[in-house]
Structure formats: structure tokens, C-alpha cells
Amino acid sequence: GILTTLSQTNGKYKYDYATIPFLAEVFKLIVSSVFLWRERKKSPPPKMTTDWKSVRLFPIPSVIYLIHNNVQFATLMYVDTSTYQIMGNLKIVTTGILFRLFLKKKLSNLQWMAIVLLAVGTTTSQVKGCGEASCDSLFSAPIQGYMLGVLSACLSALAGVYTEFLMKKNNDSLYWQNIQLYTFGSIFNMARLVVDDFRGGFEKGPWWQRLFNGYSITTWLVVLNLGSTGLLVSWLMKYADNIVKVYSTSMAMLLTMVLSVFLFSFKPTLQVGFIAVV
């Protein structure tokens, strides 16, 4: 969230943000291919299921992640990074529900209480106090930002739970599973760029000619960060679970708030500071 906000100019993206997920998918595909190549040189070789019944399941999370990544960029045009990070914790709520419904895994009463408290805390942290300059709006950001934030949380949870199901359904090599996931991800993200070309009447040229237009060092860091995060998440899905993922992600909330104060002159409200620390 911080890197994406830093890559903006006057609140807008000088680059086509649809190119970021595409390049991140290509980066993850290359890294996974290198690791699989190294793994296959060992004995015994890793297990690799290649039948179509197994492979055909991987396009589904790729499409969900495609939508989610683009929703993330749109959300950060309406809300600040600290608000975005706090709203991102709604993933714990949606993940907990989907975790129970689809993976049939039980959560303890304490875990459910934590999920409910997090949902309440996330909501109240965004309510403005009437002691502030204006009480015309109840919340501290445009409603579009909150709607996109909730959509992002739902998509992230759905993609995460489904990916965990795929990763654990057999004993295939993690890197082979990653290659399947990121191959479809690269294809779908490229298709999105092609569709944008047709919608724009090729006014700015074909997508491969404008791929790096407006890129800066910060933009490349966004690509690297998104790609690295995806690789780490796939490891968590294979060897841990979604609940570990969302709780570990929520630990970034306090760091995001502190960095936002220095980088963006963000002034946290009492509610935001309290929920971040708790």
C-alpha cells in the first residue's frame, strides 16, 4: 500500500496499473520455473500431476487474483494507506467464514470472538468524531473507497481459500503448482491489457509498446513487492493455512500507520491509533 501510494503523482497513476499485476505474474512464473528446474535435478524428482482434471482448476484463482489486484489499485485512489491496511483486516472475517464453509475447518470460540472484534474495530476506526471540523460525512474517506475495500477483502479471502485447497489437494511440488497458477495468471492479465487496447481503440498503441510507460524506480518496487508477496503466500498456503496468512498480514497495520505519518503527513485519529495498536 505504501509503495503503491508513493508511485502516484498528484493522486493519480502515470503508468497503466494493469501492467503491474502482469509483470508480477511473469516475475513469479520465472522464479518458480528456476526453483522447479533446480528441484528436478535432485533425487527423487518432485511429483508433478499433469492430467487435465487437475490443471483445469488453476485458472479459477488466477481470474480472482486478477480482479483483486486491479481493485487494490483502484481502492488506493480513494483511501490513505493506513485506512487501506486497516480495511484489509476484513480479510480475516471473510477468510474465517469461507475457511469454515469450504474447507470444513473449525475455528475455536476465541477465534470467532477475535474475528468479530476485528470487524467492529475496523468499522469504528473509520468513523469521524463530531469534534472534528466537519460532521457532514460520517466516515473519513469516500464511500467508493470502502466499497472497493470490502470487495477486495472478499476477493482476497475467496482466492486464498481456493488456493489453499489446490495446494493441499495432492503432494505435487509447490513450484509446479506455482507454475500452473502463474501461467494462467500471466495469460489472463495479458488478456486484460489486450481488451483495454480494443476498448481504447489502440489510441496509445498496443500494450507491449506502452508496457513500461510512466515507470519509475518506485513502480518497479511495486512489481517486485507484489511478486515476492505472491510467492510467500503460496508457501503459506502449502505449509500453513489462510488464518496464519491473514493474521501475519494484519501485523503490518501498525508499521503502515507509523510510516504513513512520516511519508504522507498522515494524522491518525484516536480510533485508528487504538485499533492499530490493539
Side-chain angles (χ1 to χ4, degrees):
I2 289 175
L3 285 172
T4 304
T5 302
L6 285 172
S7 71
Q8 296 175 357
T9 303
N10 298 322
K12 296 182 179 180
Y13 301 108
K14 293 182 68 175
Y15 56 90
D16 182 356
Y17 64 74
T19 61
I20 299 289
F22 169 70
L23 291 173
E25 292 295 307
V26 172
F27 169 75
K28 291 184 286 185
L29 180 59
I30 293 172
V31 172
S32 297
S33 298
V34 171
F35 276 107
L36 180 64
W37 173 72
R38 292 181 60 184
E39 194 175 50
R40 293 193 67 185
K41 295 175 71 175
K42 298 178 181 179
S43 181
K47 181 183 177 184
M48 297 169 55
T49 304
T50 56
D51 65 276
W52 176 242
K53 287 185 178 180
S54 176
V55 175
R56 70 182 181 182
L57 299 175
F58 283 87
I60 298 173
S62 298
V63 172
I64 301 173
Y65 278 123
L66 164 65
I67 301 170
H68 171 254
N69 288 333
N70 285 280
V71 168
Q72 280 184 308
F73 281 91
T75 304
L76 284 163
M77 294 182 69
Y78 294 100
V79 303
D80 57 70
T81 52
S82 187
T83 299
Y84 171 79
Q85 192 68 44
I86 291 173
M87 290 177 62
N89 283 290
L90 287 173
K91 289 185 287 190
I92 298 180
V93 180
T94 50
T95 298
I97 295 171
L98 293 174
F99 199 69
R100 179 69 181 90
L101 291 176
F102 292 102
L103 297 182
K104 308 297 181 184
K105 295 187 178 181
K106 293 185 178 180
L107 299 176
S108 67
N109 291 334
L110 185 61
Q111 287 175 313
W112 281 117
M113 288 174 61
I115 285 173
V116 172
L117 286 173
L118 180 64
V120 174
T122 303
T123 304
T124 56
S125 71
Q126 294 306 302
V127 177
K128 292 198 295 186
C130 279
E132 296 183 22
S134 173
C135 277
D136 295 336
S137 176
L138 183 63
F139 296 101
S140 57
I143 191 64
Q144 298 97 316
Y146 295 113
M147 292 175 66
L148 288 169
V150 171
L151 176 60
S152 176
C154 293
L155 290 170
S156 177
L158 181 60
V161 170
Y162 191 91
T163 301
E164 181 179 346
F165 162 73
L166 286 181
M167 293 294 182
K168 293 179 177 176
K169 69 185 293 291
N170 56 38
N171 293 320
D172 278 8
S173 163
L174 168 64
Y175 305 119
W176 168 240
Q177 291 175 319
N178 278 349
I179 286 174
Q180 295 174 82
L181 187 64
Y182 302 143
T183 296
F184 286 112
S186 300
I187 292 171
F188 291 138
N189 277 277
M190 183 173 65
R192 188 271 166 89
L193 293 172
V194 173
V195 170
D196 286 348
D197 282 346
F198 279 99
R199 290 175 60 185
F202 290 89
E203 184 178 341
K204 298 180 180 179
W207 66 270
W208 60 86
Q209 291 183 1
R210 55 181 173 82
L211 187 60
F212 306 121
N213 286 357
Y215 268 51
S216 62
I217 294 177
T218 308
T219 315
W220 281 109
L221 288 175
V222 175
V223 174
L224 182 62
N225 179 265
L226 187 60
S228 302
T229 302
L231 291 168
L232 288 170
V233 166
S234 69
W235 190 90
L236 280 173
M237 295 298 98
K238 185 74 170 180
Y239 302 112
D241 58 40
N242 272 278
I243 298 300
V244 174
K245 186 197 85 169
V246 292
Y247 272 115
S248 62
T249 303
S250 69
M251 293 172 64
M253 186 164 52
L254 180 60
L255 177 62
T256 300
M257 186 185 72
V258 173
L259 290 176
S260 295
V261 171
F262 291 100
L263 294 173
F264 310 117
S265 300
F266 171 71
K267 295 181 179 179
T269 63
L270 180 62
Q271 302 99 305
V272 171
F274 180 75
I275 192 64
V277 173
V278 173

